[in-house]
Amino acid sequence: MDRARNVLKYRNKIEKVVISILCLIVGIIVAFVLLNTYRPDKNTLRAFASVCMDTLCLVIMLIMVIGLVIEGRENNKTGELYRVLLLGTIIAMFFDFLTWSSDGLLAYDNWTYVFTVSSLCCGPILGLIFVLYLSSYLYELYQLKSVKKVAKWGVALNAIAFFITALMAITKSAFLFRDGHYEAGILYDVVTVVPVLTLLIMTIYAIRYVKTIGIHDLIAIIGYIVLMIVGALVESRFSIGTTYVAVSLADIFIYVMLQNQFIDRVNRQIVEEKRNVQKWMERSNTDELTGFYNRHAYEEEMSRLKRTILKENFVYVSIDVNGLKIVNDTLGHDAGDELILGACECMEKCFGKYGDLYRTGGDEFTAILYIGKNDIAAIMEEFEKEVNEWHGKQVDSISVSVGYVKAKEAQGCSISTVASLADSKMYEAKTEFYKKKGLDRRGQAAAHTALCKLYTKILKINLTDDTYGIINMDIGEQISEMGFSDTISEWLKNFGTRGHVHPEDLDEYLKYTNIQYMRDYFMQDKTSLHIFYRRKYGEEFKQVMMEIIPAEDYSNTDQSMYLYVKDIDK
């Protein structure tokens, strides 16, 4: 991906410089043709034009090298072969530059011969390298195994051309020197025709597999051979050094074409990787059986909610499917899955449009909802109706325990506190369910244990009689120094007045724990009373919450209640 970004960053600058240099080369060729027509010293003129073009192309090659360094190296065979091809082109251009510099400009015959032989020997070598590069590219990218057979013929032909070139160079049979200047002879035809022939073979092969390799690569291959043929024809006709100029331009042409395709391919890969990441994220946050969000997604959402203020229409719903263990043990896990999916179906119908649903345990679910103008009580009635009307193939009916807390009921509390309140209500409903059904005593005991872990005090009180019974409380709290008394009204009052409640919270604490206030409060059909205050632990005060809710046997004439106290964070 970094390579793609570097290519995109520097490609425009490189292309502008290359285009400018190409325009200069065209200008030089045009000027040479015009001057060749009207000036007598053609040898000096063609040498000068060739040197200029070679110099400009060497600059282009240098830019190419810089571009490759900037964009990074590909550690594969194709990338290495392309760098070798580029290096070979630079070497050939350098010898061609020296050839034309010495021939006509310097007129050193011996050096002219050495440079010319070196330049011509580079032709078959470049053809061989290009065949290897192209076959490696097509094989690595498109897995075309047959390209290796074609490449062997190309390599063999270029190797033969190289040895013929070396042999003819040693015998000097293909060079003609007129007035101390180099003229292309038979050797030039040999080193030109063979690479072009191998390129034609590779082009024909590419055309056969155009549907596989794509139009971009085919254009690049055809462009390479066209530039080679044009360069060879111009040099043959005007005796001006354009062959290696054409080779260098062909290298650039392939570079640009393949980079464009590379960028397109990388863009496709980026899009595909984003899709894969999205799918992975969905799978990692989704429960496989139900399609609801899983525990991991729930924890992330809770972390987010801890950093925000809960909206007024926020509702936290804790849901537990009753009797799952019994169904699994008696009817099998397929029936248990049907029970879970049936409950999820009811949840989706009633809660899905208001927020997100999470499966936080085997039979435990959470709904994080944002209720608009709708009344949560009405939605719960609809949910209860859906649950009662559901019937499965293996399981006849569903029973769920539900507890919910609205943000309005716990203003100023953290999401952790809200969740604990909802869980406590759900456990109470679950305990009541097992008590009525007389089923799964282990489940009932587990629900009781969970409640005891949540709360430091659990009392069953009676506001009418001013009495209480201890369900769960530390024995150290049951002493007179902690306000302990025979009546609940005196106990709550003494606890506050003996210094266990923060002075700033004392007046509000005494108001809401006044037994007459509580009697009147619940006579108004209130479902719960939450009292928040700071209580003393040793030398410091910590935030706690007292929750009072009607018991299952509550009536206005016999106000039986449950009183819970728990430590919370705000």
Side-chain angles (χ1 to χ4, degrees):
M1 300 306 166
D2 293 336
R3 179 173 177 247
R5 294 190 187 98
N6 289 327
V7 170
L8 289 170
K9 183 176 179 181
Y10 294 102
R11 186 184 63 177
N12 290 336
K13 294 181 180 180
I14 293 175
E15 287 180 350
K16 288 178 181 178
V17 174
V18 170
I19 290 172
S20 300
I21 293 175
L22 290 178
C23 292
L24 287 174
I25 292 174
V26 172
I28 291 171
I29 293 175
V30 173
F32 169 76
V33 172
L34 293 174
L35 294 173
N36 189 48
T37 305
Y38 299 106
R39 298 217 177 165
D41 193 0
K42 296 180 181 180
N43 292 327
T44 302
L45 183 61
R46 72 182 185 183
F48 177 76
S50 299
V51 168
C52 289
M53 287 187 291
D54 284 345
T55 302
L56 292 175
C57 285
L58 282 171
V59 173
I60 294 176
M61 293 295 102
L62 181 61
I63 294 172
M64 292 278 288
V65 172
I66 294 173
L68 287 174
V69 172
I70 289 173
E71 70 186 50
R73 301 184 63 173
E74 288 186 84
N75 296 319
N76 55 36
K77 183 179 179 181
T78 302
E80 293 294 338
L81 284 171
Y82 182 78
R83 285 188 286 275
V84 172
L85 178 64
L86 191 61
L87 179 62
T89 304
I90 293 174
I91 293 172
M93 288 291 301
F94 180 70
F95 281 126
D96 199 56
F97 169 82
L98 293 178
T99 298
W100 290 104
S101 297
S102 61
D103 181 43
L105 296 182
L106 302 178
Y108 292 155
D109 291 347
N110 291 334
W111 284 111
T112 300
Y113 177 75
V114 173
F115 297 149
T116 302
V117 169
S118 300
S119 176
L120 290 174
C121 285
C122 288
I125 295 175
L126 287 179
L128 185 148
I129 296 172
F130 181 79
V131 169
L132 291 175
Y133 163 74
L134 185 58
S135 62
S136 176
Y137 177 84
L138 295 177
Y139 179 75
E140 287 189 1
L141 193 61
Y142 302 110
Q143 287 76 48
L144 296 175
K145 296 182 179 180
S146 57
V147 73
K148 292 184 177 181
K149 296 180 181 179
V150 179
K152 289 179 180 179
W153 284 100
V155 170
L157 288 173
N158 280 284
I160 293 171
F162 172 77
F163 287 115
I164 292 175
T165 302
L167 179 63
M168 296 180 72
I170 293 172
T171 60
K172 298 184 179 182
S173 60
F175 296 106
L176 298 175
F177 292 90
R178 295 178 181 175
D179 299 327
H181 301 289
Y182 160 71
E183 293 282 355
I186 300 174
L187 183 57
Y188 173 78
D189 296 331
V190 172
V191 299
T192 303
V193 170
V194 173
V196 170
L197 179 62
T198 56
L199 288 178
L200 280 172
I201 295 173
M202 297 299 292
T203 303
I204 294 170
Y205 175 83
I207 291 174
R208 287 183 58 193
Y209 293 94
V210 64
K211 291 184 179 180
T212 303
I213 68 176
I215 193 66
H216 286 87
D217 281 343
L218 182 61
I219 291 174
I221 296 170
I222 294 175
Y224 194 97
I225 190 170
V226 168
L227 285 171
M228 283 283 294
I229 293 173
V230 170
L233 291 176
V234 171
E235 180 160 344
S236 177
R237 172 66 179 81
F238 296 102
S239 294
I240 181 174
T242 56
T243 300
Y244 287 126
V245 172
V247 172
S248 64
L249 297 181
D251 288 346
I252 297 169
F253 182 76
I254 282 189
Y255 174 81
V256 173
M257 292 295 295
L258 297 186
Q259 289 304 321
N260 286 333
Q261 188 183 29
F262 169 78
I263 293 169
D264 292 340
R265 191 164 62 249
V266 168
N267 288 335
R268 290 194 298 270
Q269 290 175 352
I270 291 173
V271 172
E272 184 64 25
E273 286 182 8
K274 286 182 177 179
R275 289 175 182 169
N276 291 336
V277 169
Q278 183 65 27
K279 290 179 181 178
W280 181 85
M281 288 295 292
E282 290 176 358
R283 285 197 297 268
S284 66
N285 288 326
T286 303
D287 178 67
E288 185 176 353
L289 174 64
T290 64
F292 285 6
Y293 289 115
N294 60 16
R295 184 79 189 186
H296 177 260
Y298 170 79
E299 296 294 348
E300 288 186 343
E301 179 64 11
M302 291 292 285
S303 297
R304 186 189 69 81
L305 291 172
K306 286 179 181 178
R307 301 189 296 270
T308 61
I309 299 175
L310 299 180
K311 297 180 180 180
E312 289 187 1
N313 62 341
F314 177 86
V315 180
Y316 184 101
V317 185
S318 181
I319 306 164
D320 192 286
V321 180
N322 297 324
L324 177 63
K325 186 177 186 305
I326 296 175
V327 172
N328 282 333
D329 292 344
T330 58
L331 302 178
H333 287 278
D334 288 342
D337 290 345
E338 183 184 53
L339 184 69
I340 290 293
L341 292 174
C344 291
E345 181 183 338
C346 298
M347 291 181 220
E348 182 65 38
K349 285 181 180 179
C350 300
F351 304 139
K353 56 186 175 183
Y354 299 110
D356 295 324
L357 300 168
Y358 302 84
R359 187 185 187 190
T360 53
D363 55 2
E364 299 170 357
F365 295 85
T366 298
I368 294 178
L369 311 177
Y370 294 89
I371 309 296
K373 297 180 180 179
N374 303 72
D375 183 10
I376 181 63
I379 296 173
M380 287 300 170
E381 288 180 7
E382 180 187 354
F383 178 61
E384 183 177 358
K385 179 182 177 182
E386 287 289 340
V387 169
N388 291 335
E389 292 178 353
W390 183 91
H391 299 284
K393 295 180 180 179
Q394 300 181 69
V395 182
D396 182 61
S397 61
I398 299 175
S399 172
V400 296
S401 298
V402 181
Y404 68 89
V405 174
K406 297 181 288 186
K408 292 180 180 179
E409 298 175 343
Q411 293 182 357
C413 295
S414 68
I415 184 62
S416 299
T417 301
V418 173
S420 296
L421 290 172
D423 286 342
S424 67
K425 291 184 177 182
M426 182 272 293
Y427 281 124
E428 290 166 12
K430 194 173 186 70
T431 301
E432 186 63 22
F433 167 79
Y434 287 123
K435 182 178 180 181
K436 289 180 179 180
K437 296 293 184 180
L439 301 172
D440 192 8
R441 297 298 180 184
R442 287 180 296 175
Q444 186 175 355
H448 176 78
T449 302
L451 280 173
C452 292
K453 288 181 179 179
L454 282 172
Y455 297 97
T456 57
K457 286 190 182 84
I458 303 178
L459 308 176
K460 189 169 185 180
I461 65 175
N462 191 297
L463 300 179
T464 305
D465 299 338
D466 195 10
T467 58
Y468 66 87
I470 299 174
I471 298 175
N472 180 61
M473 188 174 71
D474 189 347
I475 191 67
E477 297 274 323
Q478 302 175 31
I479 56 176
S480 58
E481 288 80 358
M482 300 300 294
F484 193 69
S485 178
D486 294 334
T487 62
I488 188 62
S489 59
E490 285 297 317
W491 185 4
L492 294 175
K493 179 181 177 181
N494 292 342
F495 184 82
T497 56
R498 293 183 182 179
H500 299 294
V501 176
H502 196 283
E504 294 179 359
D505 301 333
L506 182 58
D507 289 342
E508 187 173 324
Y509 169 84
L510 292 175
K511 173 186 175 182
Y512 291 132
T513 57
N514 179 274
I515 193 166
Q516 190 58 49
Y517 174 87
M518 290 189 288
R519 288 169 179 167
D520 295 339
Y521 180 86
F522 285 103
M523 287 286 284
Q524 302 173 32
D525 294 329
K526 300 292 186 179
T527 58
S528 63
L529 172 63
H530 298 93
I531 305 168
F532 298 94
Y533 58 95
R534 286 166 287 178
R535 68 154 289 176
K536 193 171 186 179
Y537 284 99
E539 298 299 322
E540 62 179 355
F541 288 89
K542 292 184 179 180
Q543 188 75 30
V544 299
M545 177 200 68
M546 180 185 296
E547 180 186 16
I548 303 172
I549 61 174
E552 66 279 359
D553 54 350
Y554 172 87
S555 67
N556 287 338
T557 57
D558 186 18
Q559 291 181 299
S560 178
M561 319 289 292
Y562 285 109
L563 184 151
Y564 304 94
V565 178
K566 71 169 294 184
D567 299 331
I568 62 172
D569 56 343
K570 287 192 76 174

